[in-house]
Amino acid sequence: MDNILIDPNIKSENDYKRLVEIFGVKELNDNIINLLYDIVGDLHVLIRRRFFYAHRDFDILLNEYNNGKKFFLYTGRAPSKSKMHIGHLIPFIFTKWLQDKFDVNLYIQIPDEEKYWEKKADNYSEIKEYAIEDAKTIASVGFNPDKTFIFINSEYIDHLYKPAIYIAREINLNTAKNVFGFDDESTIGLPFYIALQIVPTFFENGVPLIPCGVDQDPYFRLQRDIAPKFGYNKASTILSKFVWGLQGPYTKMSASDPKSAIFIDDDYDTIKEKINKYAFSGGKPTLEEHRKYGGNPDIDVSYFWLSVLFEEDDKKLFEIREKYIQGELTTGELKSYTIEKIWSFIKEIQDRRKNININKYMYDGKLAKEMWDWEFEL
Ligand code: TRP
């Protein structure tokens, strides 16, 4: 598929810019980032480095927040036949930061039907197992259990289906096709799934703020068309770029290819081996040439990962960059540094996961029920 709308096959920073235009979203500019800083007194590395780079109405949300308007967080992850890698965690890491700063409720959807209906997995019981494993991994990011509500769609029918009845009626097949590009082979589950991903944006009366990959924006574009009809708020989104896989710039970190991805449950030796063996390097082939001509950080996967998330210190990152360009820092040294950084991050999540009580996070629907019983009727 070469339709960027449907399959944003990003090959350069320019493609991200094009996506902004095609989707009709806005870039996160300095004004908005300053506004955020003024409110919370801090900026997460994923925002500072512009990995989250675009948005819908985030400026409006912040201004209204200053005037006392409420918002809540919503994000999700569709389980499939493979486990989570570090790229999958990015929206959750940023979402946790937002929850810490604003102390708001967060809803996390685990749509166990999505990939099955997409035929990205053949075995539904396997997906169900991953759904609960993923929920544990996500909870281990460290969310506030009192304000975080995780739900697996197929186990949550009562609270999803009723609103979906109303939402599904407002989206016709032609619109769905234009936005998602279904073809004759698509299963009939997929157009209906759109309604299921929209439902949680109506779990509370405030504005839903959704940190997610830019590819998820189409769902929320449709949500914005229909929300006013129900007397609810249009969704605000904060959209991220995609991470690079180990193979190089703009390659995918693919859960089905262990050579491309670092999984959350990889141990130290596995991470070390993967990075040393597979992480594409911007260094020169021989030490001699490297010292003489220097390396290129902008195509280097280890440097990419440090710059996106794992080196929070701007000064330190700049130093690494300069030393690499000068040839003072070798590929081996850069990789060792990156391995330690990634490992200390992953270890923290693994340690938390060992003791996680997932029941503390699972959503019983109380909050939403209060809303719908009296408010959702058209
Ligand atoms: N469709 C998302 C995926 O493929 C999962 C998801 C469900 C989601 N609800 C969401 C993502 C809300 C972001 C925001 O993984």
Side-chain angles (χ1 to χ4, degrees):
M1 224 182 301
D2 56 3
N3 186 338
I4 193 169
L5 241 187
I6 291 150
D7 180 20
N9 188 9
I10 302 285
K11 291 269 176 283
S12 69
E13 291 305 303
N14 241 352
D15 285 345
Y16 283 122
K17 290 220 160 80
R18 272 211 303 148
L19 215 52
V20 160
E21 282 157 31
I22 297 169
F23 278 11
V25 298
K26 291 193 185 135
E27 286 204 50
L28 268 177
N29 60 27
D30 289 346
N31 286 344
I32 301 173
I33 291 179
N34 289 337
L35 193 57
L36 178 62
Y37 183 81
D38 286 343
I39 296 173
V40 301
D42 190 14
L43 289 174
H44 193 268
V45 60
L46 287 163
I47 277 259
R48 267 191 282 134
R49 306 275 167 73
R50 302 291 196 275
F51 194 72
F52 278 85
Y53 83 109
H55 74 104
R56 282 184 197 271
D57 288 357
F58 187 47
D59 46 351
I60 296 177
L61 181 139
L62 291 174
N63 282 316
E64 288 182 348
Y65 175 84
N66 277 334
N67 295 323
K69 182 151 182 164
K70 290 216 154 104
F71 76 90
F72 64 97
L73 290 161
Y74 164 42
T75 190
R77 137 112 189 137
S80 67
K81 58 186 171 198
S82 36
K83 47 197 186 174
M84 291 180 75
H85 58 57
I86 46 178
H88 292 138
L89 270 196
I90 293 239
F92 296 103
I93 291 160
F94 181 57
T95 303
K96 175 194 153 37
W97 181 83
L98 287 169
Q99 184 183 51
D100 286 349
K101 296 294 163 186
F102 289 95
D103 193 30
V104 289
N105 286 342
L106 158 65
Y107 299 87
I108 299 175
Q109 181 172 49
I110 314 271
D112 50 335
E113 71 282 72
E114 183 183 354
K115 298 294 172 208
Y116 191 64
W117 284 348
E118 253 179 68
K119 302 219 170 158
K120 293 262 173 76
D122 298 328
N123 184 335
Y124 181 60
S125 57
E126 192 183 7
I127 294 186
K128 291 220 65 165
E129 276 167 39
Y130 277 116
I132 190 73
E133 294 307 312
D134 287 1
K136 284 187 202 161
T137 304
I138 291 165
S140 308
V141 168
F143 297 108
N144 175 355
D146 296 330
K147 297 199 170 187
T148 302
F149 308 101
I150 304 179
F151 53 96
I152 296 172
N153 278 9
S154 70
E155 286 164 14
Y156 203 66
I157 302 167
D158 281 4
H159 298 91
L160 285 177
Y161 191 71
K162 196 174 158 194
I165 292 173
Y166 297 97
I167 294 164
R169 186 180 144 110
E170 300 302 321
I171 301 168
N172 65 42
L173 196 53
N174 191 43
T175 308
K177 270 188 183 164
N178 285 337
V179 174
F180 290 92
F182 304 125
D183 58 33
D184 287 352
E185 310 308 316
S186 303
T187 73
I188 61 170
L190 292 181
F192 181 64
Y193 174 75
I194 298 170
L196 295 176
Q197 186 156 328
I198 289 175
V199 170
T201 65
F202 301 141
F203 275 0
E204 288 189 16
N205 244 328
V207 181
L209 174 61
I210 306 166
C212 58
V214 65
D215 59 320
Q216 297 297 306
D217 182 74
Y219 291 100
F220 305 115
R221 188 164 3 126
L222 294 182
Q223 189 273 1
R224 292 166 59 86
D225 290 341
I226 63 178
K229 288 190 188 144
F230 300 113
Y232 277 82
N233 290 288
K234 291 185 176 182
S236 169
T237 50
I238 312 189
L239 306 165
S240 77
K241 299 177 181 174
F242 304 117
V243 300
W244 296 355
L246 293 173
Q247 263 72 50
Y250 303 103
T251 59
K252 281 204 176 109
M253 187 166 279
S254 159
S256 52
D257 177 6
K259 287 183 188 158
S260 76
I262 291 169
F263 297 111
I264 308 302
D265 67 353
D266 279 348
D267 61 19
Y268 178 78
D269 289 339
T270 308
I271 293 172
K272 186 171 170 186
E273 185 183 318
K274 280 185 185 173
I275 292 182
N276 280 333
K277 251 197 188 157
Y278 305 121
F280 183 85
S281 164
K284 294 286 180 295
T286 66
L287 184 61
E288 206 186 355
E289 286 172 87
H290 189 80
R291 293 273 187 237
K292 197 162 167 198
Y293 303 110
N296 180 358
D298 296 324
I299 58 168
D300 192 291
V301 169
S302 303
Y303 182 82
F304 170 86
W305 276 102
L306 290 177
S307 72
V308 164
L309 182 62
F310 294 113
E311 180 52 77
E312 292 187 25
D313 182 339
D314 292 342
K315 248 173 73 187
K316 179 88 197 179
L317 184 72
F318 185 73
E319 216 179 277
I320 289 170
R321 185 183 175 82
E322 289 304 299
K323 284 190 176 162
Y324 200 50
I325 292 172
Q326 299 304 326
E328 214 178 297
L329 186 74
T330 66
T331 291
E333 288 161 347
L334 177 62
K335 285 190 171 187
S336 302
Y337 187 77
T338 308
I339 291 163
E340 298 308 317
K341 283 279 185 185
I342 294 184
W343 172 242
S344 74
F345 176 90
I346 284 190
K347 183 170 185 309
E348 210 178 293
I349 291 179
Q350 288 180 1
D351 286 348
R352 252 191 244 120
R353 199 179 188 285
K354 280 182 203 137
N355 300 313
I356 206 87
N357 176 359
I358 193 64
N359 292 327
K360 281 208 296 197
Y361 293 89
M362 297 315 279
Y363 189 26
D364 65 6
K366 246 187 242 144
L367 292 165
K369 198 158 170 27
E370 279 165 28
M371 300 283 303
W372 302 333
D373 278 357
W374 53 275
E375 231 178 328
F376 209 86
E377 308 294 326
L378 274 183

